[in-house]
Amino acid sequence: MAEIIQKDGAWAFDGDALRLTPGRDRNISVLRRTLGELRVPLRALAGISFEQGKRAGRLRLRLRDGADPLLHATGGRLAEPHDPYQLLVEPDRFGVAEYVADEVRNALLLEQVPTGPVTEYLLPGPAVPLSVSAGDGTASFDGERIRLEWNWKTEDAKAAAGPRVLTPADLTGVEWLPAAGLENGHLRLAVRGAPDATPPKYDPNAVELWGFKKDPLMALVAAAIQARLPHPATAAALAPGPDAAGADVGADGPAVLGTGRAAPHGAPPAEDEHDALLRRLRELGELHRSGVLTEEEFALAKQAVLKRM
């Protein structure tokens, strides 16, 4: 097992998954403490990197698009202190961080994990029930019902409608946006048939956020709801394309071209060994360009493939 323990938290890799545990230091963000330990399966990863700095380094995970409802609901807008997929590393542990990163990279290479998007969530999302008070209201979710309640700071026109109770079936989406500069943020529920141009201050389906300490916790509510909505790729996969003979894309890559149907799950493509090796070379090149493989790792892997050819 490859493991690194820091004040910021601990990462442990057992070959199948990375276990991310937030630190207990009082400076750890409220979002990471509330989210708790995460188990990230290897097949959810697109890459890992370690960046050295003068005072500290940083381990970063890159997840495959669509693998995590938290990243989808927040649209990549989580600031560094709140991002559970980053770990601050002290200078005397730079070597350990490099070792952990190398072990994960090697596992991704050996398991031939694709770097492309997925069509199902590979992480479950935050645990429920959740209830967060921030900005002009409180958002609660028990896994079945979403409740929005208002406080004394809520605009009168919005508060007059009273509390809102919805279910995930009522929604087409959910969005969390942090406050930035003079612009307020929000947690917005996209309700079927409701206008989407109403400012959050007046929208009965949105909680307005003003940049206070608990604002990031609203991202957990958004993620818990998102995990129970259809995966974003589902609608695209079911919708007919402009060309009926196009390719259907599954979780790990394209299906058979020209059939209009997905290939059976787990069925290998019809190709001889030479074609398979050429495809592997292309995959290695993509891993190298995306930073998953170092120059040396790429050269060794490429040499092994060429020998087989």
Side-chain angles (χ1 to χ4, degrees):
M1 176 181 288
E3 185 176 30
I4 181 169
I5 301 174
Q6 295 289 273
K7 292 180 181 179
D8 195 42
W11 286 15
F13 180 58
D14 62 8
D16 295 319
L18 262 166
R19 191 174 71 251
L20 315 180
T21 307
R24 297 182 179 180
D25 190 89
R26 60 179 181 150
N27 294 323
I28 303 301
S29 84
V30 63
L31 182 148
R32 290 179 60 202
R33 290 200 306 267
T34 305
L35 186 59
E37 184 176 288
L38 289 176
R39 183 182 183 276
V40 184
L42 186 66
R43 65 192 183 103
L45 295 179
I48 184 172
S49 64
F50 175 60
E51 304 160 5
Q52 293 190 20
K54 292 182 179 180
R55 297 186 178 180
R58 192 178 295 272
L59 274 168
R60 296 179 190 266
L61 288 182
R62 184 164 57 88
L63 272 62
R64 298 170 66 185
D65 288 345
D68 180 25
L70 174 62
L71 293 184
H72 182 81
T74 58
R77 292 182 288 262
L78 281 175
E80 284 188 350
H82 310 301
D83 189 343
Y85 302 115
Q86 299 187 29
L87 181 71
L88 285 176
V89 179
E90 297 166 11
D92 62 346
R93 290 293 182 270
F94 282 2
V96 179
E98 289 281 11
Y99 171 70
V100 172
D102 286 343
E103 287 294 294
V104 174
R105 289 192 196 103
N106 291 337
L108 288 169
L109 176 60
L110 291 173
E111 295 297 326
Q112 299 187 25
V113 177
T115 59
V118 298
T119 56
E120 62 178 343
Y121 291 122
L122 302 181
L123 284 89
V128 293
L130 275 169
S131 183
V132 178
S133 297
D136 67 352
T138 298
S140 305
F141 182 50
D142 62 5
E144 296 181 0
R145 290 178 177 81
I146 308 144
R147 184 178 178 87
L148 303 181
E149 299 177 273
W150 314 114
N151 57 37
W152 63 273
K153 294 170 283 189
T154 309
E155 190 70 25
D156 290 344
K158 182 163 138 180
R164 291 282 281 156
V165 179
L166 300 159
T167 69
D170 299 323
L171 308 182
T172 59
V174 60
E175 179 188 51
W176 172 83
L177 185 71
L182 299 177
E183 296 293 327
N184 293 335
H186 61 256
L187 168 73
R188 189 195 295 272
L189 307 177
V191 180
R192 299 180 192 279
D196 56 5
T198 307
K201 183 177 182 178
Y202 304 103
D203 188 350
N205 299 313
V207 176
E208 189 177 37
L209 304 174
W210 300 319
F212 297 142
K213 183 177 179 180
K214 289 190 176 180
D215 283 11
L217 291 179
M218 283 292 184
L220 299 184
V221 178
I225 296 171
Q226 183 68 55
R228 289 157 178 82
L229 296 177
H231 191 277
T234 301
L238 294 177
D243 184 357
D248 292 331
V249 179
D252 291 336
V256 179
L257 289 172
T259 64
R261 300 186 301 274
H265 181 70
E271 61 181 354
D272 59 28
E273 184 178 6
H274 186 268
D275 290 340
L277 292 174
L278 288 175
R279 179 171 57 84
R280 183 65 185 138
L281 281 175
R282 288 194 294 270
E283 291 173 353
L284 290 172
E286 292 173 2
L287 291 171
H288 179 233
R289 286 191 294 274
S290 63
V292 175
L293 294 178
T294 64
E295 188 71 37
E296 183 179 357
E297 290 168 338
F298 172 65
L300 290 173
K302 180 180 177 182
Q303 184 180 14
V305 174
L306 292 175
K307 284 184 177 178
R308 291 181 59 186
M309 294 179 69

